[in-house]
Amino acid sequence: MNRKTLALPAVAGLLAPLLVACGGSDESGAIVVGTTDQFLATAEAPAPLDPAFAYDTGAWNILRQTVQTLMHVPRGGGEPVPEAAESCRFSDRLSESYRCKLREGLTFSDGTPVTAADVKFSVERVLAIKSDNGTAALLANVDTVETNGDREIVFHLKTPDATFPYKLSTPVAGILSKDKYGAKELRAGFEVDGSGPYTMKTELQGEKIVKAVFTKNPKYKGDITLRNDKVELRSFADADSMGKALESREIDMMTRSMSLDQVKDLTEKPKEGIDLTEVPGLEIRYLAFNTADPSVKDAAVRQAMAAVVDRGALINTVYGTTAQPLYSLIPSSVTGHSTAFFDSYGEPSTKKAAGILSKAGIKKPVKVTLHYTTDHYGSGTQKEFEALRDQLNATGLFDTSVQGSEWSTFRPAQKRGDYAVYGLGWFPDFPDPDNYVAPFLDTDNFLNTPYVNASVRDQLIPQSRRSADRNAASSVFGQIQKIVAKDVPVLPLWQGKQYVAARDDLTGVEWALNTSSDLLLWELGRGTA
C-alpha cells in the first residue's frame, strides 16, 4: 500500500499528523509487533479500515482487534463458534435461515448497547455500499435480515450456504454503530469504533499509519481471552528494517512478511534471545488475466503460458523451502485440492505451448507485460516476476516485460482492468475451499474480472455450498478446478509457509498467527505461558 498517492485534501485534514518518536518495546508496557503491511488513505481508497471496504490481510488484522463479529474461528482452527453471539445455528434443514442471539449486556467501547438492530444495520450497510473492492461478495447471499427484540437476529439466505458461519466470522460482518458509521457511505480515515477486545489509537505520518496502539477494552464481552493489556503494531518499510528492530529490541516480534534470507539465517544461525516459529499457512500466489484485454483474450495465450511456467524452478530461484508448487487454486492441505493444471499441461513444455498457439493461429512471439506490486507481498516479488519473465522469454514464444508499482497504485489499476496480466497473493478469509473459488469466479468477485463461466457461477458454486460435510463437496470443487485449468482465467503458481520471529520471553507466539494469516494479538504475553 504505497507509492506516490493522491491523498484527498479532506482525508489529509482529518488525519492530522501525530507522529512521535518510536521508543523501546517496554516503554509503556506494551508488546510491540512489527509488520511490513502498509496502511494508507488515498484518493482512490480513502476508507482503508471501513469493514465495508477493507479486503486485505493488513486491514483485517487491525479490524479483528477492534470490531467484534457474531462468530469467530477458535484458537487452533475448526468450525466457527459464537463470539459477540451467545448462540448461532441454522434453523432449517436447507441451510437457508441462520439465527443468532447476542450476548446479554454487550456494549460498544463507548458504553453504548450493542443490539440486533446494529447487526442488521452493519450487514445491510455492506450490501448497500457494495464497494468495488469485492468485500460485499462475502455477504451477497443474504436476502433479508430480521430482528426479534434487541438480541435476536435471523439471516434469510437466497440459496443454501453451509459456509455462512465462516463468513460471519470475517471483519466484513463486523458489528458497527449506526451513530458512528453512515448507512450508505464509507467512513474515511483510520478511526475504528467497535465492541472488540481492544480500542485503538493511531500515530500517522501524512496519510499513512506508522503505529497502531491497541489497549484492552474494559467493556469487552466475548469468547476471546486477552493475555495482555496493550499491544503496539508498528509498520516497517521492508523486512530488513523490521529485522534490525527485532535485533535491537525495539520490537518484540516480527510477522508478515519476513524475507527468505531472514528465515534461512535464523534457521541456520540462530540468534541469542530470538526464536523462529513456523506456523501453518494457506497463502497462495497466482497470475490473473484480464480476459477482455486483446493480448490475452484468446484462451490459447493463457494456456500456452500455463504450459511453460516452471513452478519448481521459480521456487528454487526465489523462495526455496518456504514455498511449494501449486497446481490448482485450492492449496494441498484444504479439502477439494487437485492437480488440475499438472493433469492438463504436465511438465513445462515449449513444444506443447507452441502447438497451442499455432493451432489458434496466434502470431509469435506474444507480447505481454507482467504487473506486480512492489510493497505488499514481501521482498521476493520483484525477483519472482523477473524469473517468470525469463522463463517465458526463453521459449521464444513470448516477448515479456515486467512492471512493478506500489499497492496503492497497483490495486486500483488492477480493479479498473488496466493490466492484462498481473500477480496477486491470496490469504483466505476462512479456511474452506469455497474461499479459494468464489472470490475469483463468483459474481462481484475480488478480481473484478470480466471472465464468466455460467456453469461455475450458477450451478457448481451453489451446489458446493449445500454440503455441511465439506468433504462431500470435493467432487464439485474438482469439476471447478478442471474448468479453471481449461479456461485459465487465473494461473496458480505456489503456496507458502508462514514464519514469525520473536524475543524468547514472549509467549503465545505459536497462536498469534493462524492459517488464514489472521493476527491474533490477544494471544501474546510475557514471561510464563
Side-chain angles (χ1 to χ4, degrees):
M1 295 184 186
N2 246 329
R3 198 183 172 178
K4 186 175 180 180
T5 57
L6 301 173
L8 290 175
V11 174
L14 179 67
L15 309 177
L18 300 172
L19 183 63
V20 298
C22 298
S25 61
D26 59 354
E27 187 174 282
S28 63
I31 293 170
V32 184
V33 176
T35 179
T36 57
D37 286 323
Q38 305 295 305
F39 310 101
L40 281 83
T42 69
E44 295 190 83
L49 298 184
D50 189 315
F53 176 84
Y55 205 9
D56 67 85
T57 303
W60 274 22
N61 280 340
I62 283 182
L63 291 173
R64 287 188 187 279
Q65 323 305 320
T66 51
V67 176
Q68 205 171 10
T69 50
L70 289 170
M71 306 287 284
H72 81 123
V73 176
R75 175 198 256 199
E79 295 184 0
V81 297
E83 212 295 75
E86 177 183 283
S87 62
C88 284
R89 63 182 178 84
F90 281 107
S91 55
D92 67 329
R93 284 188 167 186
L94 295 177
S95 299
E96 288 183 320
S97 183
Y98 197 70
R99 186 180 301 269
C100 292
K101 187 174 183 180
L102 288 173
R103 293 178 185 269
E104 190 169 2
L106 205 65
T107 70
F108 291 107
S109 59
D110 65 0
T112 305
V114 175
T115 68
D118 293 306
V119 178
K120 175 181 170 71
F121 163 79
S122 302
V123 170
E124 291 180 343
R125 176 179 182 269
V126 171
L127 297 173
I129 291 174
K130 198 177 180 180
S131 84
D132 66 354
N133 217 22
T135 322
L138 281 171
L139 300 177
N141 196 31
V142 174
D143 187 16
T144 59
V145 184
E146 174 188 353
T147 61
N148 181 15
D150 286 340
R151 294 178 58 201
E152 193 168 336
I153 314 102
V154 183
F155 300 94
H156 299 288
L157 308 181
K158 298 172 186 175
T159 58
D161 186 1
T163 71
F164 190 64
Y166 280 107
K167 292 169 183 175
L168 287 183
S169 72
T170 65
V172 67
I175 305 170
L176 308 175
S177 167
K178 51 185 173 292
D179 295 332
K180 302 288 179 67
Y181 291 81
K184 295 184 179 180
E185 61 185 11
L186 294 171
R187 182 179 182 178
F190 297 115
E191 288 188 66
V192 179
D193 290 283
S195 55
Y198 295 99
T199 59
M200 179 185 73
K201 289 186 178 180
T202 58
E203 295 185 6
L204 311 174
Q205 190 173 48
E207 73 276 18
K208 178 172 66 174
I209 292 179
V210 293
K211 183 192 296 185
V213 180
F214 300 97
T215 304
K216 184 176 182 179
N217 175 11
K219 294 183 168 55
Y220 169 73
K221 290 185 178 181
D223 192 55
I224 291 168
T225 300
L226 278 74
R227 292 168 171 80
N228 59 68
D229 293 325
K230 184 179 288 188
V231 182
E232 177 186 306
L233 186 66
R234 197 177 295 179
S235 181
F236 289 86
D238 52 53
D240 285 344
S241 58
M242 180 170 63
K244 289 175 183 176
L246 181 66
E247 289 187 33
S248 64
R249 294 184 175 270
E250 292 178 44
I251 64 175
D252 298 297
M253 183 174 103
M254 60 177 179
T255 176
R256 60 182 306 270
S257 298
M258 292 179 61
S259 70
L260 172 61
D261 288 342
Q262 287 174 326
V263 173
K264 185 178 179 181
D265 187 48
L266 287 171
T267 300
E268 297 176 354
K269 296 178 289 184
K271 290 182 169 59
E272 185 177 355
I274 296 176
D275 293 332
L276 178 70
T277 303
E278 180 183 343
V279 292
L282 296 175
E283 171 193 6
I284 68 169
R285 298 285 179 90
Y286 58 95
L287 290 179
F289 300 89
N290 175 0
T291 55
D293 189 283
S295 65
V296 294
K297 186 174 184 179
D298 195 313
V301 175
R302 309 192 300 268
Q303 291 165 351
M305 291 179 69
V308 297
V309 165
D310 189 333
R311 295 167 176 82
L314 176 68
I315 290 168
N316 288 337
T317 300
V318 185
Y319 295 108
T321 58
T322 65
Q324 66 185 73
L326 180 64
Y327 295 96
S328 77
L329 277 174
I330 302 171
S332 60
S333 54
V334 175
T335 298
H337 168 73
S338 74
T339 56
F341 275 82
F342 187 85
D343 299 341
S344 296
Y345 302 100
E347 296 291 346
S349 170
T350 299
K351 182 179 179 180
K352 181 177 290 186
I356 293 171
L357 294 173
S358 295
K359 186 177 180 180
I362 293 172
K363 184 179 178 181
K364 302 178 283 290
V366 179
K367 190 170 184 176
V368 293
T369 300
L370 308 181
H371 292 267
Y372 67 95
T373 173
T374 59
D375 63 338
H376 200 62
Y377 297 119
S379 58
T381 309
Q382 178 179 343
K383 189 176 180 182
E384 174 185 354
F385 275 75
E386 290 171 348
L388 284 169
R389 175 198 62 197
D390 294 346
Q391 284 188 14
L392 293 171
N393 288 345
T395 67
L397 303 176
F398 295 92
D399 176 9
T400 313
S401 59
V402 297
Q403 184 174 332
S405 54
E406 295 180 356
W407 182 254
S408 58
T409 298
F410 175 90
R411 176 63 171 145
Q414 177 266 310
K415 289 188 292 185
R416 287 194 304 266
D418 293 355
Y419 304 148
V421 190
Y422 52 91
L424 282 170
W426 183 252
F427 301 85
D429 306 326
F430 50 89
D432 185 274
D434 178 85
N435 199 240
Y436 288 95
V437 170
F440 311 109
L441 306 173
D442 208 354
T443 307
D444 299 325
N445 58 72
F446 166 76
L447 296 177
N448 198 26
T449 177
Y451 170 78
V452 177
N453 184 290
S455 175
V456 171
R457 284 193 182 183
D458 302 336
Q459 298 173 33
L460 295 176
I461 289 177
Q463 183 181 342
S464 73
R465 291 172 175 167
R466 294 190 188 106
S467 301
D469 178 358
R470 304 310 287 154
N471 290 317
S474 291
S475 63
V476 179
F477 287 114
Q479 294 177 59
I480 293 172
Q481 293 308 300
K482 287 180 180 178
I483 292 170
V484 172
K486 176 178 177 292
D487 294 350
V488 199
V490 292
L491 177 55
L493 296 174
W494 55 269
Q495 65 182 85
K497 300 176 182 178
Q498 293 188 119
Y499 295 87
V500 295
R503 307 300 312 182
D504 59 8
D505 64 341
L506 203 63
T507 61
V509 173
E510 68 274 24
W511 301 110
L513 196 68
N514 68 14
T515 57
S516 296
S517 293
D518 302 332
L519 195 54
L520 313 179
L521 296 179
W522 52 82
E523 294 285 1
L524 297 174
R526 292 192 190 278
T528 305

